[in-house]
Amino acid sequence: MFSRVLVANRGEIAVRIIRALHELGVEAVAVYSTADRDALHVRLADQAICIGPPSATESYLRIPNVIAAAETTGCEAVHPGYGFLSENPAFVRACVESGLIFVGPPAEVIEKTGDKARAKAEMRAAGVPLVPGTEGVATLAEVRVAAVELGFPVLLKATAGGGGKGMRVVDRPEDLESAYGAASAEAEAAFGDGSMYLEKALVPARHVEIQVLCDGHGGVLTLGERECSIQRRHQKLIEESPSAALTSEARETMEASVERACRQLGYLNAGTFEFLLGPDGSPSFIEVNCRLQVEHPVTEMVTGIDIVREQLRIAAGERLSVTGRAPRAGHAIEIRINAEDPRRDFAPAPGLVSRFRPPLGPGVRVDTAVFEGASIPPFYDSMIAKVIVRDDTRDAAIARAIRSLEEFEIEGIPTTRDLAIDILRSREFRGGAYSTSYLAEMEGRLPSMVPA
Ligand code: ADP
């Protein structure tokens, strides 16, 4: 195992990784922007290096600064967390060139999967079912032809996309041109790459993803699924495992296809393969996330496997202790608490957290970097905490989640806490038959979303 590792991230995920390092007896080095001087990850780390001003492009995204922080402190490895540089092949190469081990897949694997159109081609070769769409990048003219073949509604997607950016649902042929222009411009601004591809829009659909861990000795472990269909603007709000949508045969088919895909890609470390279940329940691949995900604790709670610890063990060259299918028991639910106002279309609401008392008690885990008196800076992600609960059955886990959220005291900023309670209480969620259209369909029926 390493003796010192750089954590190239901030917020709850930096804290999560520092905890795993300390439990392994490894020293943690944090990096921070001047906006995060008083942040929890800085306090918990053994050392912390300031890498620039608040703007992420000048700090957490600036490769030379992060590499210099690792080199000057004598780190052997870098854990990127999620977001920021976690799926950036240039960063992985910079680590390797500086003799640092990157805790994640090799640059070539990230390249193959980071381009979503290319990832689909790889998956096709591995025999994984895909959402019907264009083969690779498509011009507006090609999109027009493909849309007619696929049938409306269709979904325009950016090949470099992420975080729901560069995506547009198009219902009518006459809207294609303006949607293409807008989505491509958005992707160009966000990722420096405006290339687009087209998919059939699956409606209704459920988002179900498979977690995997691969070691450097040919070991592959699939850790079951996470159901992530409760979303706002194509972004996840509540995740659970297992998914009420899968039979054990369907689950095994998906896990086996992911295992094949990992072998085809030469995958290493943790990854997530995202699928949509169409109206007929059959899975179609949408993308690979070559990193730890926000919602990984859901899987940790049902499998008892510490994914971050396994990532570090794999990066240090160790073998997975279990391969095949991870054992699992019970039901886990994660609720993301965002500093956003659901009454104002989820507008980000940074500010001072005047009161912060997270829930306690059996079966409850809270991952956060926020504390009473903390300021949520406006420069980064709006997620401020994750409440994860586990119990033996889905009904018991829902009851535990509601109990936990009701205990959670947050004052000073608007959050998605009350909305999550409304969702968990709704008949549609409890019935388990919800889709990614849930929030749109529930408009006006969730009290905490009604405009004030
Ligand atoms: P991003 O990487 O930007 O988050 P994804 O490809 O993971 O984008 O898709 C995010 C969400 O967008 C999915 O969970 C789903 O709700 C929706 N989505 C993606 N592809 C389709 C599709 N073909 N049909 C319907 N919805 C889709």
Side-chain angles (χ1 to χ4, degrees), residues 9-340:
N9 216 299
R10 65 177 300 282
E12 67 88 19
I13 200 62
V15 169
R16 163 74 186 91
I17 297 163
I18 293 168
R19 287 180 172 142
L21 289 168
H22 285 168
E23 287 170 10
L24 285 165
V26 179
E27 275 183 39
V29 178
V31 292
Y32 64 98
S33 74
T34 50
D36 279 335
R37 199 173 279 127
D38 302 319
L40 185 61
H41 75 284
V42 173
R43 269 197 264 158
L44 292 184
D46 301 279
Q47 290 179 67
I49 307 287
C50 183
I51 51 166
S55 153
T57 51
E58 292 176 66
S59 52
Y60 297 105
L61 286 169
R62 184 151 284 189
I63 295 175
N65 299 18
V66 176
I67 298 284
E71 283 182 324
T72 52
T73 53
C75 288
E76 299 144 84
V78 176
H79 195 309
Y82 53 68
F84 295 132
L85 297 170
S86 61
E87 292 178 284
N88 184 323
F91 179 60
V92 181
R93 293 213 166 89
C95 286
V96 174
E97 278 156 24
S98 304
L100 294 160
I101 293 175
F102 176 78
V103 182
E108 305 75 62
V109 172
I110 298 180
E111 263 158 5
K112 272 194 271 189
T113 54
D115 176 326
K116 293 184 176 193
R118 194 164 160 205
K120 287 183 78 173
E122 292 282 337
M123 292 303 115
R124 190 178 295 119
V128 177
L130 306 178
V131 179
T134 54
E135 279 192 31
V137 177
T139 61
L140 176 59
E142 287 163 341
V143 158
R144 280 194 211 280
V145 176
V148 172
E149 277 167 25
L150 293 167
F152 288 85
V154 289
L155 189 69
L156 281 164
K157 290 173 112 173
T159 60
K165 291 207 180 78
M167 221 193 272
R168 291 286 185 290
V169 180
V170 184
D171 294 312
R172 306 174 310 170
E174 56 269 37
D175 297 336
L176 265 178
E177 186 168 348
S178 61
Y180 191 97
S184 178
E186 189 175 294
E188 180 68 48
F191 316 108
D193 176 359
S195 45
M196 304 297 297
Y197 66 106
L198 188 76
E199 273 181 2
K200 172 91 192 146
L202 300 182
V203 199
R206 299 184 70 136
H207 176 120
V208 177
E209 58 186 31
I210 304 285
Q211 173 73 53
V212 70
L213 282 165
C214 302
D215 67 22
H217 306 274
V220 177
L221 177 69
T222 63
L223 295 92
E225 80 279 15
R226 291 183 291 258
E227 160 78 62
C228 312
S229 300
I230 302 291
Q231 306 180 343
R232 56 114 180 70
R233 292 204 211 109
H234 300 306
Q235 293 300 295
K236 301 157 190 169
L237 272 182
I238 296 180
E239 300 97 346
E240 58 177 325
S241 186
S243 165
L246 292 186
T247 61
S248 40
E249 296 80 59
R251 177 175 298 113
E252 172 52 29
T253 305
M254 287 176 78
E255 294 194 58
S257 77
V258 167
E259 181 170 349
R260 274 199 316 277
C262 286
R263 296 193 188 285
Q264 154 98 17
L265 289 164
Y267 203 85
L268 183 70
N269 218 289
T272 297
F273 288 69
E274 298 191 331
F275 294 84
L276 290 180
L277 305 187
D280 64 351
S282 61
S284 308
F285 167 85
I286 46 172
E287 67 161 342
V288 190
N289 287 142
C290 283
R291 51 166 166 84
L292 185 66
Q293 295 212 208
V294 173
E295 60 273 25
H296 76 277
V298 169
T299 303
E300 295 185 325
M301 298 285 265
V302 290
T303 61
I305 293 171
D306 184 318
I307 295 174
V308 180
R309 184 186 300 166
E310 292 307 310
Q311 285 194 287
L312 292 161
R313 290 185 56 244
I314 291 169
E318 295 178 31
R319 280 174 191 276
L320 284 164
S321 41
V322 218
T323 56
R325 308 284 170 261
R328 41 209 98 141
H331 196 99
I333 304 177
E334 173 180 278
I335 297 100
R336 301 190 191 194
I337 307 291
N338 298 336
E340 289 171 1

